[in-house]
Amino acid sequence: MNSTNCQLLRTDFGHEVYDRWYLEHARHNFEAPDFIRKHIPFYEKVLQLTQNDRILDAGCGIGSYTREFARCGYHVVGLDKSSNFLSEAQKITQSENLEIEFVFGDYNEMDFEQPFSVIFFEGSFFYESKAGLVILLHQIYNNLTPDGRLYFVHSNPHIRKQQFPIVNLSEIQKNVYVLEMAEYDESNGGERCVWGKIDLETQIHYKCDYFNMHLPPDELKDCLVTAGFTDFEFYKKREIREFDPLNDSGFSVVCRKG
């Protein structure tokens, strides 16, 4: 094999190559139906959901949570910036005879004519800087009704940085490998990740790299207040229990627009 003949192409979320790999090989456990159903009572309680609510599932991916909310009788809209994921979401939704509106778009740029009473993130709340987070929270605040609620899951940097570095190499088909690497960037307070698809036969390689910031709870609270949220609670992740910053890997955040 002559490595000098390799062709390296960039990819990212929403790109056909990356999305196909996720759909075929990397659907995570938190999208499993049993896992989702188990946590619906938690969402219903902490968000005080009613049949009058209009929910936005932001970063909905293939619509696993969107469909479960719909099955429970809630009015829900799915939003994602990957047309590949939305196509899969619509296909599954139609096969289950559910009627759900899916919208193509980036939640960092959301601007809906009709606000939502609930904006929901599950495994899709990402930001690259403190300033970027404040802008995102402002966007969310402006797209909520006066009594609106925001929900998202956040990593605990105290624990998260202890879990790195991570390296995983898997063969997804003969002579085609996927490499995932991640390390914690202490100076910038977040994780740097690299995803690569290596095809030894065609010598076409793909690379995606990205950064996710994880602010500590106190700084996250400051950003929430700056964006206008003054009523919020931190729970142990997906449990109605108090968050322990020294031991819990992550936490659930519920904010109410006052």
Side-chain angles (χ1 to χ4, degrees):
M1 181 181 72
N2 185 351
S3 60
T4 60
N5 294 327
C6 293
Q7 182 181 9
L8 179 63
L9 302 176
R10 296 284 306 179
T11 183
D12 201 348
F13 302 110
H15 189 284
E16 182 181 359
V17 170
Y18 184 93
D19 290 356
R20 187 189 309 126
W21 164 75
Y22 179 88
L23 291 171
E24 294 179 359
H25 304 282
R27 292 184 179 182
H28 299 303
N29 290 333
F30 66 78
E31 289 198 61
D34 290 344
F35 182 89
I36 297 170
R37 293 190 196 104
K38 179 175 70 174
H39 293 106
I40 289 293
F42 167 75
Y43 304 137
E44 291 179 320
K45 187 164 185 177
V46 299
L47 289 167
Q48 299 179 339
L49 295 180
T50 74
Q51 297 298 310
N52 294 324
D53 278 314
R54 183 168 181 263
I55 304 170
L56 176 67
D57 184 4
C60 67
I62 61 172
S64 302
Y65 288 82
T66 325
R67 285 188 295 278
E68 193 59 38
F69 280 124
R71 292 187 196 103
C72 293
Y74 297 109
H75 179 187
V76 59
V77 175
L79 170 72
D80 203 275
K81 68 176 184 178
S82 168
S83 59
N84 302 304
F85 287 171
L86 290 180
S87 177
E88 182 73 8
Q90 290 169 333
K91 182 171 67 175
I92 299 171
T93 299
Q94 290 172 358
S95 71
E96 297 183 7
N97 294 317
L98 294 170
E99 293 187 9
I100 301 173
E101 179 185 3
F102 288 100
V103 178
F104 175 75
D106 186 339
Y107 60 65
N108 287 283
E109 301 171 357
M110 68 172 76
D111 183 19
F112 292 93
E113 290 185 8
Q114 183 181 355
F116 293 86
S117 56
V118 174
I119 296 181
F120 174 89
F121 294 80
E122 182 57 75
S124 58
F125 192 79
F126 303 119
Y127 57 95
E128 297 182 354
S129 67
K130 193 170 183 178
L133 172 60
V134 172
I135 292 171
L136 169 58
L137 291 171
H138 270 300
Q139 291 283 91
I140 293 169
Y141 190 90
N142 291 335
N143 282 273
L144 283 171
T145 59
D147 61 343
R149 288 89 73 203
L150 162 66
Y151 173 87
F152 61 90
V153 172
H154 196 282
S155 293
N156 179 9
H158 176 73
I159 301 297
R160 188 69 173 161
K161 63 185 177 182
Q162 299 174 23
Q163 300 171 338
F164 292 97
I166 297 172
V167 177
N168 179 45
L169 180 66
S170 58
E171 186 175 25
I172 59 174
Q173 62 189 71
K174 186 175 181 180
N175 292 321
V176 180
Y177 297 84
V178 163
L179 173 66
E180 296 176 88
M181 298 184 297
E183 62 180 355
Y184 198 84
D185 184 341
E186 187 74 42
S187 61
N188 290 295
E191 59 189 278
R192 296 195 177 277
C193 307
V194 177
W195 176 90
K197 179 180 176 183
I198 307 160
D199 190 324
L200 298 181
E201 293 194 358
T202 65
Q203 291 298 293
I204 298 176
H205 299 178
Y206 295 88
K207 180 182 179 182
C208 169
D209 54 73
Y210 52 94
F211 174 77
N212 292 327
M213 176 174 270
H214 303 301
L215 286 176
D218 287 345
E219 291 187 47
L220 176 58
K221 290 177 182 178
D222 290 341
C223 291
L224 288 168
V225 171
T226 300
F229 291 102
T230 56
D231 183 1
F232 47 80
E233 297 179 61
F234 287 19
Y235 296 91
K236 187 179 179 72
K237 187 161 58 176
R238 306 184 191 96
E239 295 184 34
I240 303 180
R241 294 169 56 191
E242 186 176 352
F243 164 60
D244 180 357
L246 295 180
N247 295 295
D248 291 340
S249 62
F251 49 95
S252 291
V253 182
V254 177
C255 309
R256 294 171 181 83
K257 182 175 178 178

